[in-house]
Amino acid sequence: MLASLRKKEGIVFILAMLAVVLAAIASNIYWTRADLTSSRAHTLSKASRTLHEEIPETVRISYYASKILADRHPGPGTIEDFLREMEAVSRGRIRVRIVDPTKNPSEPESFGLVPQQMQVLEQSEQRLALVYTGIVIEYLDRHETIPAIISADNLEYEIVRAIRSVVSDSKLVAGLLAGDKDKTVANDYQTLQGGLSRAGYQVREIQRGTIVDDDVNVLFVLGNSALDRYDAAFIDAYLMRGGRVFFAVKGVDINAEYGLVASPVEEGGILGALESYGFVVARELVLDQSSLTVPFQTQNSGGGYRIQYVRYPHWIALDARYTDPGNPMTARFQGLDLYWPSPLTIRHGPGAKYRELAKTSPKAWRQTKDFAASPEDQARYALERDETTGQYLVVASAAGTFASAFVAGDPPSREGAPPAPLPPNAVSPETRIVVVSSADFLTDLMRMSDSMFNASFALNAADWLVSSDELLALRTKATVDTRLNKIRDPGTKAALVAITYVATIALVPLAVVVYGLARSSRRNKRERDSRAAAGGEA
């Protein structure tokens, strides 16, 4: 009887172990996972799952990750998991290999990958180590490189974009035209250039008053204080050929080198052309209670300088509540900071569909004549607040056809320059326009104000302008404003800060003391009751 029982136990044990082994094997073939992030950031999109249909031959993805980095950081493991998932859904069109480049450093370096310095701690000693972390995507005799990648944030967008680029053997061209006298593409838009390049765009500088080539897929007009009607004619001609244009323009020019002196930009120029397309940028300033705190260097009475932090309503922080959730550029809006913006209104044209993408908070106001932007002029900021408080449009878009600003056939001229081009058509083909009424929000000022999502918005807009809606949906899964600035109303913020201080400094310690006294009292009562029941002293 005992031998029979042991035999049955042995059989059950073997079957249980076999079930565990089979379950482990099955889990490598059939598996699922739950993505609890609000933007579904860790779920493969339809674009990734159907990417194999666009790949005639096998694409090879090599992930070069130094072992010393993989042992100390979770990023390489997450990246490897994602690449394996891409491989699994590709139906054999994507092959992934994970390479430790320390064995043969010349291989990743031949693709343009360079090692990065990282501090490591070994045996209580800190030292600098050179590590590789980058991805190379190969197709036939072509390749794309994604350098210095450390996390899976935005990786799906990067992989899909790179695969499409290397398979089609083409790159989108983004033209950058600096329209302010005091700015150049090389000196003032490095962050934007870097973001566009990493997103797969070939960046090309466009000079004012020159032909914009047809191979430019999207044109960024960055500022407008130096753009007259002659310059506007070249931009108009590009638009009339079906070009896509992003306008970052202003109604008031702020001279940052001379005490932030403000003056309205001259009439006409690119603002006049924009009115023909249905966008009216007022020669005024919009200020908002939802704004940034900005450090200013000020001079004291003794001649010395000090840094003064000023709540600066001229630099407004847009809120997701006041954006268009139905447009792909703002569907997953995570932040946008505008410097010295102007009010924007739309005059709906017959051939285009217009969208209001982003507005200020309802507590914004305007400066219409007595412009004050210097930190020394804080008392003048709100002179027109009572009569102008309201909500103002600052970002808009349109898709469709647009009438030329020079349809009357009166091309402007400039002394010593060739004639401006006549528009090739009185009405453009189907095209797209984005207008932001802030000329400076894409300058490198975004680094100082920790507004890097400004560049992300520009990339989103570029993808929408060139109609890459699938890529735009992938990009917006990852961009997040991590600053602790969700509550921007000063009164509400002050009240919550006071409540937090009271709760942490007074209420929590008081609760601990009360709990301790109550527990001590209950314990003493139980002891007295126990002694009384035993006949001893109570």
Side-chain angles (χ1 to χ4, degrees), residues 381-425:
Y381 287 173
L383 290 179
E384 300 180 77
R385 184 170 186 167
D386 292 341
E387 58 267 32
T388 62
T389 294
Q391 191 169 37
Y392 296 95
L393 179 68
V394 286
V395 184
S397 68
T401 61
F402 305 91
S404 171
F406 301 91
V407 70
D410 56 341
S413 60
R414 177 179 289 170
E415 185 177 352
L422 287 170
N425 305 291

Side-chain angles (χ1 to χ4, degrees), residues 95-151:
R95 292 283 181 259
V96 174
R97 68 187 186 116
I98 312 301
V99 184
D100 182 1
T102 55
K103 300 177 181 178
N104 184 15
S106 61
E107 181 182 341
E109 289 175 6
S110 67
F111 292 108
L113 290 177
V114 294
Q116 309 292 315
Q117 287 188 341
M118 183 185 78
Q119 284 191 343
V120 298
L121 186 65
E122 288 185 349
Q123 297 179 353
S124 301
E125 291 186 1
Q126 222 176 38
R127 67 180 181 88
L128 286 176
L130 292 178
V131 298
Y132 290 86
T133 172
I135 295 174
V136 175
I137 298 172
E138 299 175 83
Y139 180 78
L140 301 178
D141 60 343
R142 304 187 290 270
H143 75 272
E144 284 271 337
T145 301
I146 304 175
I149 186 165
I150 194 63
S151 75

Side-chain angles (χ1 to χ4, degrees), residues 437-459:
S437 60
S438 170
D440 297 288
F441 87 105
L442 288 180
T443 67
D444 293 331
L445 280 174
M446 70 178 87
R447 295 177 183 171
M448 186 194 79
S449 61
D450 193 21
S451 307
M452 299 305 291
F453 41 70
N454 284 8
S456 296
F457 177 81
L459 299 181

